Amino acid sequence: MKRILVTGGAGFIGSHLCKKLVEEGHYVICLDNFLTGNIENVKNLLNESNFEIIEHDIENEIDIKVDEIYNLACPASPPHYQFNPVKTVRTSVVGIANMLELAKSNNAKILQASTSEVYGDPLEHPQKETYWGNVNPIGIRSCYDEGKRCAETLMMDYHRQFGTNIKIVRIFNTYGPNMHPNDGRVVSNFIVQALKNTDITIYGKGDQTRSFCYVSDLVDGLIRMMNTSGFTGPVNLGNPSERTIRSLAELVIKKINSNSKIIYKPLPSDDPVKRKPDITLAKTELNWQPFVGIDEGVDLTISYFKTKLNIL
Ligand code: NAD
Ligand code: UDP
């Protein structure tokens, strides 16, 4: 039984990861400051003897015994990470520095939840890990993009300077149950709007693309990455099935048979025009690929929100 720390464990992805690790029989410490996460997400684990929650902010040092650290703590939705951008930078940079010190003192493995945002508004398509990106360093997304890029730098420097056992995963747009109804990201926004028959808000013309990965596939990839040896990454994890935002809106409206109308709002600045992961490296190194397609994944997410919002 390993002692595994999951920072951001009460958030969307973290809660699914905690559940899987508890089911595998590990002792799981879920650490969260509850900025965007919610205890409700891990309610089903609270009675398990191999699960505990610590309320803590990774901006502050912590000293506990651990074998592995998954660092997921960071708001991930653009409206959330832009709400307090200084805090987002501090969480990404000071936070990972504290977690790396913890890994170093415990001789523990540490996995960093990095992001496709390190590629910015990409000029290479699809994006391979070798691409250095096209990131605005002073825009409204920079607190997140540059924070995550600096976190990758710190990970690599701890590895080269101190031999720390690191794993960097670049996560592409992931969705599923346990997203907050007011999360602000596109899949949850569209589903909640369609279920409430309110306007579906497309930013810009809706021609921009994303490639959506269901959360169970992503969690499987995270655990596979942690369990490899001799491979630091960075490695892309995401579903290469690319679609426009408009086609996602149409899919959600059709599935819910909603009366919602599509309305168009201004495109926020620096919103990437297209995004799709090249997952060759994950296939080769982790023997990983996603299995849940958009139809099944959106159906599962709609069921979750129907229950959450009390819609029959
Ligand atoms: P989320 O907002 O649901 O979860 C983030 C969690 O971190 C929340 O529980 C929040 O309370 C906690 N947190 C934030 N700041 C903290 C701090 N300073 N100290 C302790 N806890 C803190 O988002 P998510 O989608 O579950 O994302 C999890 C991680 O995966 C993030 O690091 C995010 O950058 C990364 N990621 C997610 C996606 C995606 O599509 N979901 C894509 C790329 C990267
Ligand atoms: N988006 C949209 N309507 C919404 C929320 C988002 O059209 O209600 C767009 C957003 O502008 C972006 C895409 O959907 O082009 C994905 O947005 P999200 O915030 O989910 O993730 P990210 O931009 O970080 O990939």
Side-chain angles (χ1 to χ4, degrees):
M1 186 199 252
K2 288 185 278 195
R3 283 178 65 84
I4 304 182
L5 175 66
V6 180
T7 78
F12 157 52
I13 297 176
S15 57
H16 291 274
L17 178 62
C18 285
K19 182 163 182 286
K20 189 91 189 274
L21 294 171
V22 164
E23 282 166 4
E24 286 184 358
H26 302 295
Y27 189 85
V28 176
I29 304 157
C30 166
L31 181 154
D32 210 292
N33 69 352
F34 302 109
L35 179 70
T36 54
N38 196 313
I39 196 114
E40 274 288 303
N41 287 339
V42 287
K43 190 176 68 185
N44 51 343
L45 301 176
L46 294 175
N47 291 329
E48 302 291 341
S49 58
N50 56 337
F51 181 77
E52 75 172 277
I53 289 206
I54 302 178
E55 183 166 357
H56 181 81
D57 191 306
I58 61 165
E59 250 195 67
N60 304 312
E61 291 172 19
I62 188 165
D63 186 16
I64 49 174
K65 284 260 152 299
V66 287
D67 301 307
E68 291 179 353
I69 302 167
Y70 289 85
N71 186 47
L72 272 61
C74 186
S77 147
H80 289 164
Y81 69 65
Q82 288 163 17
F83 175 71
N84 186 345
V86 173
K87 174 81 188 160
T88 301
V89 174
R90 292 187 64 83
T91 293
S92 301
V93 180
V94 180
I96 189 63
N98 285 330
M99 291 306 110
L100 279 160
E101 279 300 314
L102 183 66
K104 185 168 160 247
S105 65
N106 276 277
N107 210 9
K109 248 192 259 185
I110 179 166
L111 180 147
Q112 164 66 357
S114 190
T115 167
S116 52
E117 284 283 322
V118 301
Y119 302 121
D121 191 5
L123 304 176
E124 175 180 301
H125 193 75
Q127 293 78 52
K128 287 196 196 72
E129 291 82 351
T130 46
Y131 179 49
W132 289 357
N134 177 38
V135 177
N136 176 357
I138 55 168
I140 55 170
R141 294 176 89 99
S142 313
C143 58
Y144 185 74
D145 299 12
E146 297 289 17
K148 291 282 188 179
R149 284 168 69 96
C150 186
E152 288 198 10
T153 307
L154 271 170
M155 291 282 284
M156 288 307 299
D157 285 338
Y158 265 73
H159 177 63
R160 284 185 287 250
Q161 201 170 330
F162 306 117
T164 308
N165 195 346
I166 63 145
K167 308 268 169 193
I168 301 172
V169 166
R170 293 182 179 153
I171 302 171
F172 284 63
N173 297 66
T174 298
Y175 69 98
N178 293 4
M179 293 184 93
H180 194 279
N182 297 327
D183 179 278
R185 281 175 281 185
V186 70
V187 177
S188 48
N189 266 13
F190 285 0
I191 290 178
V192 170
Q193 289 163 343
L195 285 172
K196 292 181 170 172
N197 291 307
T198 58
D199 291 342
I200 303 256
T201 53
I202 288 186
Y203 305 155
K205 293 190 181 132
D207 294 334
Q208 70 271 38
T209 68
R210 295 294 187 271
S211 308
F212 295 102
C213 184
Y214 189 67
V215 64
S216 58
D217 282 331
L218 193 270
V219 165
D220 176 42
L222 294 178
I223 295 174
R224 276 172 192 255
M225 179 58 171
M226 184 63 102
N227 292 340
T228 54
S229 58
F231 176 56
T232 60
V235 64
N236 291 337
L237 289 182
N239 193 321
S241 155
E242 183 185 10
R243 57 167 54 235
T244 64
I245 295 305
R246 195 182 319 103
S247 81
L248 177 72
E250 287 161 359
L251 178 77
V252 169
I253 290 172
K254 191 167 146 220
K255 279 188 176 292
I256 293 174
N257 199 15
S258 169
N259 294 323
S260 294
K261 301 268 168 303
I262 291 178
I263 60 162
Y264 292 87
K265 293 195 150 191
L267 186 68
S269 64
D270 296 336
D271 199 291
V273 175
K274 53 186 183 298
R275 180 181 292 155
K276 170 183 173 162
D278 181 315
I279 59 165
T280 311
L281 191 62
K283 282 183 177 160
T284 318
E285 292 288 339
L286 312 179
N287 193 22
W288 178 86
Q289 63 178 36
F291 289 104
V292 182
I294 193 84
D295 265 307
E296 188 187 350
V298 166
D299 284 345
L300 292 165
T301 312
I302 290 172
S303 300
Y304 168 78
F305 278 114
K306 275 187 176 167
T307 310
K308 186 90 188 161
L309 302 173
N310 250 325
I311 293 170
L312 297 176

